[in-house]
Amino acid sequence: MQQRSVGASGLRVSRLGLGTMTWGRDTDEHEARDQLAAFTAAGGTLVDTAAAYGDGASETLLGTLLGDVVARDDLVIATKAGLGARRDVAGRGTRDTSRRSLLTTLDATLRRLGTDRVDLWQVHVWSDDTPLEETLAALDTAVSSGRVLYAGVSNYTGWQTARAATWQAAVPGRAVPVSTQVEYSLLNRAVEAEVLPAADALGLGVLPWSPLGRGVLTGKYRTGTPSDSRAATSHLSSFVEPYLDDRSRGIVEAVVKAADGLGWTPAEVALAWVRDRPGVTAPVVGARTAQQLRGLLGVEERTLPPEIDEALDDVSALD
């Protein structure tokens, strides 16, 4: 698999990342093992997790596979802190990006992973309850202590991204963010307005999550909700439902039509489109099974023809 630099940094990762949000909950040890083996066999190096995924279960499961399925040094492990597994009254994950919470979470992450450092540590969410300077100081401490090699942000708006990166770059020795992880797909292109320009101007690599539109761009929901899909589960149905509207259906049909003409799968079309957008380092994909993941890994040999890329760009453009 081709490798790309993360923004203007020296960190290099595979141009496709393996997401582990469901590991330890919907994805058991045997399935996770098969996925990691398939991913690394294809040359993948970037594995993304978070302390909030399964309240640490994802990190724990990944940790059990290090040194067994793959050597620790052969992976670029990216994880996140600042978002809790508990939900507030509005159903949102609790946010705590205080210095105390972030550094305590980092130590717990390292114990779960069974390693002495994280390659890329990202602030999972912005929080108005903690001064940004305090949050960023925690990144400085993590990097200077050797527990973290590179720092990043996640789910920040354009102005939040710019403020964080500019603050860190103002004083030599601070941990300047090298990446931003945001939702980006043919069904959600909102980051193109401000986040992508900010990332480009400040030298941050972009790591899109849900590049397949929360699974909708695979075409599996065209005729209903499959019983084995994420939308059929009580804890993920609300995650998928926003993309089951008329606009999304029109985009999905365009993707399916393009896939039929190319002899590809819809997932390959949608993933190739995101992967090769300007500024993107590596889309992060999660799969229910290793078989599904292997199908997605085939996109490494695919490049969308310019006319197809432009047509999808037009049909999915924001008003």
Side-chain angles (χ1 to χ4, degrees):
M1 191 178 298
Q2 292 185 31
Q3 305 288 301
R4 289 176 172 172
S5 295
V6 180
S9 76
L11 180 62
R12 291 183 62 80
V13 299
S14 53
R15 64 175 182 168
L16 193 66
L18 176 61
T20 65
M21 184 179 73
T22 63
W23 283 23
R25 183 178 58 186
D26 302 315
T27 303
D28 63 21
E29 178 183 354
H30 300 291
E31 190 57 56
R33 176 182 295 273
D34 290 346
Q35 289 187 22
L36 186 59
F39 180 68
T40 54
T45 61
L46 175 62
V47 179
D48 180 77
T49 183
Y53 294 167
D55 198 16
S58 172
E59 292 179 332
T60 298
L61 182 48
L62 176 59
T64 66
L65 302 178
L66 297 181
D68 183 4
V69 175
V70 60
R72 166 66 184 90
D73 289 343
D74 290 340
L75 290 184
V76 175
I77 298 178
T79 190
K80 298 175 283 293
L83 181 66
R86 293 182 293 106
R87 298 286 170 174
D88 61 18
V89 292
R92 298 168 301 194
T94 54
R95 304 181 179 202
D96 188 346
T97 62
S98 66
R99 178 185 178 90
R100 177 180 182 276
S101 176
L102 290 177
L103 294 178
T104 299
T105 299
L106 174 59
D107 288 338
T109 284
L110 293 174
R111 289 193 296 270
R112 287 190 290 264
L113 289 171
T115 184
D116 62 352
R117 85 279 182 194
V118 167
D119 298 292
L120 177 60
W121 192 48
Q122 305 151 100
V123 182
H124 206 152
V125 289
W126 175 277
S127 175
D128 291 324
D129 295 329
T130 301
L132 178 62
E133 294 78 6
E134 179 181 336
T135 296
L136 297 176
L139 298 184
D140 297 338
T141 298
V143 172
S144 64
S145 68
R147 288 174 287 177
V148 168
L149 302 185
Y150 294 88
V153 296
S154 178
N155 300 309
Y156 275 31
T157 64
W159 73 264
Q160 292 166 352
T161 303
R163 182 178 170 190
T166 302
W167 176 268
Q168 290 299 88
V171 177
R174 287 179 179 167
V176 179
V178 302
S179 66
T180 178
Q181 188 168 355
V182 288
E183 183 173 9
Y184 188 25
S185 75
L186 280 162
L187 298 185
N188 188 338
R189 298 177 59 182
V191 295
E192 292 178 353
E194 295 183 359
V195 175
L196 297 193
D200 177 60
L202 296 162
L204 277 67
V206 178
L207 305 174
W209 58 265
S210 279
L212 298 179
R214 309 186 185 188
V216 175
L217 287 166
T218 64
K220 70 173 69 175
Y221 298 105
R222 294 171 71 203
T223 59
T225 302
S227 60
D228 61 349
S229 67
R230 290 181 176 180
T233 64
S234 59
H235 56 282
L236 288 175
S237 59
S238 61
F239 181 68
V240 178
E241 285 172 0
Y243 293 155
L244 300 180
D245 58 5
D246 289 340
R247 175 183 177 273
S248 297
R249 278 190 285 271
I251 297 171
V252 170
E253 291 307 313
V255 169
V256 171
K257 182 178 180 180
D260 289 343
L262 294 169
W264 300 11
T265 66
E268 287 176 326
V269 170
L271 191 53
W273 182 88
V274 178
R275 182 198 63 198
D276 296 332
R277 299 297 286 179
V280 168
T281 298
V284 176
V285 296
R288 187 172 54 83
T289 67
Q291 182 178 0
Q292 287 182 345
L293 177 62
R294 292 187 186 96
L296 295 174
L297 294 173
V299 78
E300 178 65 18
E301 308 301 324
R302 311 286 201 191
T303 301
L304 282 176
E307 62 273 17
I308 299 295
D309 185 86
E310 293 173 7
L312 293 173
D313 192 47
D314 288 342
V315 77
S316 63
L318 296 173
D319 296 332

